[in-house]
Amino acid sequence: MLKNEDDREHFFPLTELPKYNELITKLLETHKYAITCEEHNVFGGLFTAVSEVKAKTNIKTPITPIAINDTFGESGKMLDVLEAYGLCAKNAFYIPD
């Protein structure tokens, strides 16, 4: 699923990522940078899938992951856990043009 918002595009994969390889390629080719955001380990998820498409197509678009580093998981209240792993609004960042 793709959602346009201002000059940004938001891609929300709903099923297996290989189905979206063409769309990921198009998005990487037509944008200055890409950000992946996921609430689990950075390895083996959306960042990995997008990086694999990038590597296979030799696209130079930089990709920044927002995800949990490879670490043992903790449990607790959802907002507390997200904050503990840096996945909260106060850790949002700005990417200059």
Side-chain angles (χ1 to χ4, degrees):
M1 182 162 104
L2 186 64
K3 177 182 175 185
N4 291 319
E5 192 172 296
D6 301 323
D7 61 342
R8 299 168 294 177
E9 293 185 82
H10 302 269
F11 169 56
F12 302 98
L14 303 175
T15 59
E16 296 177 30
L17 288 169
K19 292 181 178 182
Y20 295 103
N21 284 353
E22 287 182 33
L23 177 58
I24 293 170
T25 299
K26 178 183 173 189
L27 291 171
L28 290 173
E29 288 174 335
T30 58
H31 291 77
K32 293 180 186 178
Y33 53 83
I35 299 170
T36 61
C37 184
E38 48 201 320
E39 57 182 12
H40 57 81
N41 193 308
V42 69
F43 301 112
L46 181 60
F47 173 68
T48 298
V50 173
S51 296
E52 288 175 2
V53 171
K54 176 184 172 181
K56 290 176 185 176
T57 57
N58 284 328
I59 296 171
K60 304 298 182 202
T61 304
I63 305 169
T64 301
I66 299 174
I68 298 170
N69 289 324
D70 193 20
T71 184
F72 184 77
E74 296 185 30
S75 61
K77 293 181 180 177
M78 185 178 81
L79 294 179
D80 293 340
V81 172
L82 292 175
E83 186 171 345
Y85 287 109
L87 301 176
C88 56
K90 74 178 186 180
N91 290 328
F93 59 92
Y94 172 75
I95 299 176
D97 292 350

